[in-house]
Amino acid sequence: MLDQVFVDIIKSLLSKKKKITIITHVNPDGDAIGSSLAWYHILKLEGHEVSVVVPNYFPSFLAWLPEASEIIVHKKDKEKAEERVLNADLIFCLDFNDIGRMAKVSDCYTKSNATKILIDHHLQPSLFTDYTLSVSNTSSTAELIYELISEIELTHLITKDVAQALYVGIITDTGSLSYACNYKSTYNAIAFLMEVGIDGEHIHRLVYDTNTYDRIRLLGYCLSEKLKVFPEYKLAYISLTKEELKKFNYNVGDTEGIVNYTLSIEGVSVGVFFMEREGIIKVSLRSKGELSVNDMARKYFNGAGHHNAAGGELCGSLNDHLSRFEEMIPEMVKI
């Protein structure tokens, strides 16, 4: 059950037709896009004028989702994206817990007079909205959106399009139900989505088994040439420079899930992936068991996330950061 006060507020806010903009985080993943599109469909079916704005491009393996072509990419169409943010009556922020995760969209967001609502499942959200629903012990923001739809009594509006978007959000944020999903509610949600008529096997193929030749070559290169293992610390990491990305004709989403391969190594409990891109170094962290990569991300990588999955960003030389990282491994794994 969600917080009843929050549910009542959402019911009240949606009682009259409004201009609504949904914003999700930079480098949007399956949960970001899935939860945003699902909520978009529901709100449109309720008669609202709805837009989805993302800071930059999302992976091509999500482009098949119904209405994905209607998503406004700020990096591509800044004027249209900012108009939708500035003129909104309501803004829903989905799947992120800090205003910095909006990247350049944050500039117009702070100027907007809209009522602002956060729906998210990451730890320690900052205060940048009027109302907040933050539930960390849930699989995904998509599952939270499903629960909210249920609580405001709109499950009759969950069409196949909505169900597919919700399912994509859940499976991508749990590694196809391999982590962060030890909750009965997650499987209850999936059971309902199946009853609506989605084809889980087909969706899995579209998301996980639709790869370009270059993406497969990049994965092989990461595992054969860039994987470093520190068995004494139960840690492994992979790194990619911007030159290496260019060599393999990198597209957004090509490195999705690469960090998870580190944890598949016997004896490894912590995996890290470094990617040099657009003037920054993106860091993805995963762990098994008690060690919190959320704490690691906050302390060392200017980031945050979940207990076993987190991310961060660094500036400067990748080689310098990798050297310092290796020196600090003994200290990091004691967090």
Side-chain angles (χ1 to χ4, degrees):
M1 293 288 291
L2 301 181
D3 177 75
Q4 190 58 48
V5 173
F6 181 87
V7 171
D8 291 341
I9 288 170
I10 298 302
K11 283 184 176 180
S12 176
L13 290 172
L14 298 179
S15 62
K16 294 182 180 180
K17 304 301 180 281
K18 290 185 170 67
K19 291 182 180 179
I20 300 175
T21 297
I22 299 165
I23 302 174
T24 192
H25 57 77
V26 67
N27 303 324
D29 56 8
D31 191 22
I33 298 300
S35 59
S36 295
L37 283 176
W39 193 224
Y40 165 89
H41 286 297
I42 291 293
L43 294 173
K44 282 197 72 175
L45 289 168
E46 274 287 274
H48 301 283
E49 184 180 330
V50 193
S51 301
V52 178
V53 171
V54 299
N56 59 351
Y57 297 99
F58 55 90
S60 60
F61 58 77
L62 300 172
W64 63 271
L65 281 165
E67 300 298 309
S69 61
E70 296 300 310
I71 294 174
I72 303 167
V73 180
H74 183 272
K75 187 171 183 177
K76 178 183 178 182
D77 197 343
K78 177 181 176 182
E79 185 175 335
K80 185 177 181 180
E82 295 189 353
E83 182 273 326
R84 298 302 169 88
V85 173
L86 290 169
N87 292 328
D89 301 312
L90 296 178
I91 293 176
F92 284 93
C93 298
L94 302 189
D95 198 42
F96 62 100
N97 63 358
D98 185 81
I99 193 170
R101 296 282 285 143
M102 291 187 202
K104 293 182 180 180
V105 177
S106 64
D107 294 338
C108 59
Y109 172 85
T110 57
K111 296 174 185 175
S112 174
N113 293 319
T115 300
K116 299 163 183 175
I117 304 105
L118 171 68
I119 301 176
D120 182 50
H121 71 130
H122 296 90
L123 296 168
Q124 299 167 296
S126 59
L127 300 176
F128 62 99
T129 56
D130 299 300
Y131 304 104
T132 297
L133 176 66
S134 178
V135 184
S136 59
N137 60 338
T138 193
S139 72
S140 55
T141 298
E143 184 181 335
L144 280 179
I145 291 294
Y146 168 77
E147 291 183 19
L148 180 60
I149 293 168
S150 301
E151 294 284 347
I152 61 176
E153 301 176 330
L154 294 179
T155 50
H156 62 284
L157 296 181
I158 298 182
T159 61
K160 187 176 179 180
D161 289 351
V162 176
Q164 288 181 137
L166 291 172
Y167 187 73
V168 166
I170 292 171
I171 64 167
T172 54
D173 238 34
T174 60
S176 294
L177 303 177
S178 64
Y179 54 80
C181 58
N182 282 326
Y183 311 109
K184 180 181 177 181
S185 60
T186 305
Y187 296 93
N188 286 338
I190 289 174
F192 181 92
L193 301 179
M194 290 294 177
E195 289 178 3
V196 172
I198 65 170
D199 184 337
E201 293 180 13
H202 180 61
I203 293 173
H204 189 279
R205 285 194 296 272
L206 290 172
V207 173
Y208 291 106
D209 299 332
T210 305
N211 297 300
T212 63
Y213 174 62
D214 286 323
R215 187 183 186 194
I216 293 297
R217 290 178 62 238
L218 177 61
L219 173 60
Y221 176 73
C222 286
L223 299 179
S224 64
E225 303 295 331
K226 301 305 302 281
L227 176 65
K228 297 191 72 172
V229 182
F230 297 79
E232 66 272 34
Y233 300 112
K234 300 182 179 180
L235 180 145
Y237 82 85
I238 294 169
S239 64
L240 286 172
T241 66
K242 57 185 178 183
E243 290 80 15
E244 288 167 327
L245 292 174
K246 185 177 181 180
K247 176 182 176 181
F248 291 96
N249 301 310
Y250 171 80
N251 286 303
V252 174
D254 281 355
T255 58
E256 193 79 22
I258 285 179
V259 66
N260 297 324
Y261 284 91
T262 59
L263 287 187
S264 69
I265 301 169
E266 185 176 4
V268 170
S269 299
V270 182
V272 187
F273 175 61
F274 298 88
M275 181 175 69
E276 187 180 39
R277 179 180 165 203
E278 297 179 355
I280 62 168
I281 300 162
K282 182 183 176 184
V283 186
S284 299
L285 304 103
R286 300 290 185 270
S287 67
K288 294 186 288 190
E290 296 302 315
L291 191 141
S292 170
V293 287
N294 174 57
D295 294 341
M296 188 182 292
R298 287 180 177 275
K299 185 173 182 178
Y300 297 102
F301 301 111
N302 306 307
H306 304 286
H307 183 84
N308 294 124
E313 291 183 353
L314 299 169
C315 297
S317 164
L318 176 60
N319 287 333
D320 288 347
H321 281 299
L322 292 179
S323 296
R324 284 194 290 270
F325 170 72
E326 292 190 11
E327 292 173 1
M328 292 190 297
I329 288 174
E331 175 187 333
M332 288 181 180
V333 296
K334 290 181 181 179
I335 290 179

